[in-house]
Amino acid sequence: MFVKDFLWLLFKENLLINWVYRHVLGSFFPILQQQVPACKLSDKGSYKARKLKKPIFSVAGYTSGTTNQPMTVYRSVKSILLEEYMVKTFLALHRVPLKAKIAVLRGDMIKASTDNTPPFWRFAPFTGRVFFSSFHLSPENVPAYLQQLSKEKPDIIMAYPSSITFLAKQAKLLGWVPDWSFSGVFTSSETFTPENQQICRDVFGKVFDHYGQAERVAALQQCAFGHYHVREDYSVVEFVDDEHGTKIVGTNVHNSAMPLRRYDTGDYVEGLNNLGNCPCGNHAPYVTRILGRDDDYLLLPDGRHIGRMDVAFKGIAGLLECQLVQADDKTLEVHFVLEPSHARAQLEQDLATALQQRVGDMLELKFIQQRSIARTKAGKFRSVIRLNAGNSSVSN
């Protein structure tokens, strides 16, 4: 841990490096001509079929996304620099100090998940970052998290949307807000609904989300008005319509280790504005909402796909988290975390009403109360899980 943190300080997190990324590297990543290459759409399946070997001078990464289909990705040195440039300039855009104090709530394994006693954080001795566990968030443990944040007084929090939303909901119940100069929360890696963003803004003030993927074919970042602007210095991005809506298709330019052309991310958006006439002054195209992947839906016995299930839980009192697990074509498991002061029977009735408005009576609802919703091995939250028929267990 000490060696890793020292290398992080040396190559990624010091005043000189941050200044170079913010003010020098831009000349290596100019605005790209957003011309669509002449070829068919590709996706994860077609890429895996190519069975490429690891190129020389590249770094391997791994992703499964919400589809649970493992995939190895390769990054060239230039691609690695570009990704860091995206982060550094995003922070600079929102006036984060050059050498910021950072709290991280992004799936780091701090201790065994069975150890439910503080501390749920650890310190990085060279960079000064504080890493908080995403695996120990519960109503009982949140006061310890908030107390430690008040003690550390970070400039920013970098978090998974699900983790910071859970923390914000509990903070609102406790009447807690940051009592120091705070630059904002920066999120990525999960779908972040406008409703949950607002909950986080109520507590932390400023919240800015970054959209990307392990394949690194598209990047969209939020401005102060909440619009997701295309980073036109990152890749060539298209918005393609199909029977499910408008989805993101990207072509990378700076990753020679893994060239991807017209790659279908499977992620859908809403509120596309190609004119880029945003009051923030950024003239790049933007969308108002990232809806998430095309597999984030329930499958009804009559063949219908019911997506956008996050809105079903909007405004339901007493609900901290909820995950839908479709065990087969007849049963829907509703895993939920209840606020301690709320009645379970009332919450289940409210959830049933909201779900039946969207799926009718075609699925039998089975309510399962949890102390916390299990995360994936990477610490991410999956709101909808569809399992093979006959399999009623959740595998993360």
Side-chain angles (χ1 to χ4, degrees), residues 93-243:
L93 173 67
H94 295 295
R95 303 189 179 187
V96 174
L98 194 61
K99 185 65 176 74
K101 187 172 185 179
I102 301 174
V104 182
L105 187 58
R106 285 184 52 85
D108 293 277
M109 183 60 70
I110 305 303
K111 62 198 310 185
S113 59
T114 54
D115 183 353
N116 206 37
T117 57
F120 306 114
W121 50 84
R122 62 174 170 81
F123 302 92
F126 295 104
T127 60
R129 292 190 174 201
V130 186
F131 292 86
F132 288 82
S133 171
S134 292
F135 301 94
H136 294 82
L137 284 169
S138 68
E140 297 80 11
N141 293 338
V142 161
Y145 281 75
L146 299 179
Q147 183 178 8
Q148 192 63 30
L149 283 173
S150 295
K151 179 180 177 182
E152 296 300 325
K153 294 179 170 50
D155 294 303
I156 64 171
I157 299 174
M158 304 183 80
Y160 284 155
S162 59
S163 297
I164 199 66
T165 300
F166 187 97
L167 192 67
K169 287 181 177 180
Q170 288 296 297
K172 287 187 72 173
L173 291 174
L174 297 171
W176 182 95
V177 294
D179 60 356
W180 65 93
S181 178
F182 184 68
S183 295
V185 173
F186 290 80
T187 57
S188 63
S189 304
E190 296 174 341
T191 303
F192 202 4
T193 67
E195 295 78 18
N196 285 341
Q197 289 184 32
Q198 188 56 53
I199 290 171
C200 293
R201 290 191 181 99
D202 291 343
V203 174
F204 295 102
K206 299 176 181 178
V207 177
F208 305 104
D209 192 36
H210 166 95
Y211 164 81
Q213 61 294 126
E215 297 90 335
R216 297 185 176 179
V217 296
L220 287 78
Q221 295 176 334
Q222 271 189 321
C223 68
F225 292 87
H227 298 152
Y228 288 86
H229 288 270
V230 175
R231 285 295 300 253
E232 295 181 302
D233 49 354
Y234 186 81
S235 64
V236 177
V237 175
E238 303 170 65
F239 295 98
V240 177
D241 293 328
D242 66 11
E243 66 272 21

Side-chain angles (χ1 to χ4, degrees), residues 13-74:
E13 198 62 53
N14 62 64
L15 282 171
L16 177 60
I17 288 292
N18 287 343
W19 185 88
V20 169
Y21 270 112
R22 291 189 181 193
H23 301 289
V24 176
L25 282 193
S27 60
F28 293 91
F29 304 113
I31 299 297
L32 299 168
Q33 295 295 320
Q34 299 289 307
Q35 295 179 346
V36 179
C39 61
K40 295 181 180 180
L41 295 186
S42 62
D43 58 16
K44 183 178 291 189
S46 61
Y47 173 80
K48 289 173 68 177
R50 291 159 61 184
K51 298 181 179 179
L52 298 181
K53 295 182 179 180
K54 182 179 181 297
I56 301 175
F57 304 120
S58 68
V59 175
Y62 306 93
T63 179
S64 62
T66 54
T67 59
N68 206 26
Q69 299 175 2
M71 174 176 171
T72 302
V73 295
Y74 301 111

Side-chain angles (χ1 to χ4, degrees), residues 322-395:
C322 190
Q323 181 184 70
L324 303 179
V325 180
Q326 188 169 9
D328 52 43
D329 61 355
K330 298 180 181 179
T331 307
L332 180 63
E333 297 179 2
V334 184
H335 298 244
F336 65 92
V337 179
L338 176 71
E339 286 182 9
S341 60
H342 203 80
R344 173 175 176 170
Q346 182 62 52
L347 176 63
E348 290 186 1
Q349 180 179 332
D350 293 342
L351 285 171
T353 300
L355 288 170
Q356 287 168 352
Q357 288 176 348
R358 288 161 176 78
V359 303
D361 57 359
M362 302 188 74
L363 296 175
E364 178 186 354
L365 302 181
K366 181 180 178 181
F367 293 96
I368 302 174
Q369 184 175 354
Q370 307 275 20
R371 289 188 67 254
S372 62
I373 302 295
R375 265 55 176 173
T376 68
K377 291 180 180 179
K380 295 184 180 181
F381 179 86
R382 294 176 62 187
S383 60
V384 177
I385 299 175
R386 294 195 315 280
L387 304 175
N388 295 327
N391 183 359
S392 61
S393 62
V394 180
S395 175

Side-chain angles (χ1 to χ4, degrees), residues 283-330:
H283 299 296
Y286 67 79
V287 300
T288 57
R289 180 169 184 170
I290 307 290
L291 297 178
R293 295 196 58 84
D294 57 353
D295 61 327
D296 291 339
Y297 60 82
L298 300 175
L299 183 60
L300 300 188
D302 62 3
R304 282 183 293 154
H305 292 195
I306 307 298
R308 297 287 309 280
M309 294 306 300
D310 55 285
V311 299
F313 311 122
K314 182 178 179 181
I316 293 183
L319 182 66
L320 289 178
E321 287 187 321
C322 190
Q323 181 184 70
L324 303 179
V325 180
Q326 188 169 9
D328 52 43
D329 61 355
K330 298 180 181 179

Side-chain angles (χ1 to χ4, degrees), residues 21 25-30 32 56-59 74-86 216 233-234 252-257:
Y21 270 112
L25 282 193
S27 60
F28 293 91
F29 304 113
L32 299 168
I56 301 175
F57 304 120
S58 68
V59 175
Y74 301 111
R75 288 88 180 246
S76 66
V77 173
K78 189 176 183 181
S79 173
I80 294 170
L81 291 174
L82 172 62
E83 199 69 20
E84 194 66 17
Y85 172 73
M86 288 292 108
R216 297 185 176 179
D233 49 354
Y234 186 81
N252 63 19
V253 175
H254 300 295
N255 188 8
S256 59

